[in-house]
Amino acid sequence: TTNASVTAGSIDSLSQHFPACMSHLHRSLRRDAHLKHYGRLQYSLFLKGIGLNLEEALMFWRGAFHKVTDDQFNKEYRYNVRHVYGDVGGDSNRRGGGYSPYSCQKILTEHPPGPGEAHGCPYRHFNMENLSVLVQAMGVNDRAVMQGIKEDKESQKYHMACNRVFEHLNKAEIKRAKDEGVLTANQLETIVHPNEYFKRSYLLKN
Ligand code: SF4
């Protein structure tokens, strides 16, 4: 979907285009060298969706889980990664080439994260204090934007907060694209999928 060359080694740099949910998963993975089950699932499906192939995905996850032995990795984690790509597992999964990346709707409503879990949607599942730390780390340092996020969160318009952050972080590029008349109707619609967030951010900045 993009021309990004997506390899195990490029994820750190591509993560500047990630929405808050995936940015948090990536930061947690780098901090802890580990993610729990639903975090691995949410994040590996997203990475598959941005174009990370199975071989690169196995390299990425093996490198990220650097505190475990090869034996542990092969036993506990390799199967999960291959399963996401439909390389192993049930018939319908295999036929379909694996599972689809989760939409915001799914992330917002299924399996709310418990203690020590990093999946979910930060706009919904974080308290305001932790949320402001995360969005500041993503580059939001504008008081009005922060206030808008707070109000969106309080009125449970989580994806509006996410779109607000997207528009703020890509303000200059969106303005230029609008002036040049190159934004399609689709690119002006509200983002409701993490992979769409990535794609639009990547295309605007490249
Ligand atoms: Fe991720 Fe969607 Fe939440 Fe944005 S609104 S952080 S893309 S789940």
Side-chain angles (χ1 to χ4, degrees), residues 19-21 104 107-108 120-123 158-159 162 193-194 197:
C21 52
C104 298
I107 293 170
L108 279 159
C121 173
Y123 299 107
Y158 308 111
H159 65 288
C162 187
H193 199 295
Y197 185 112

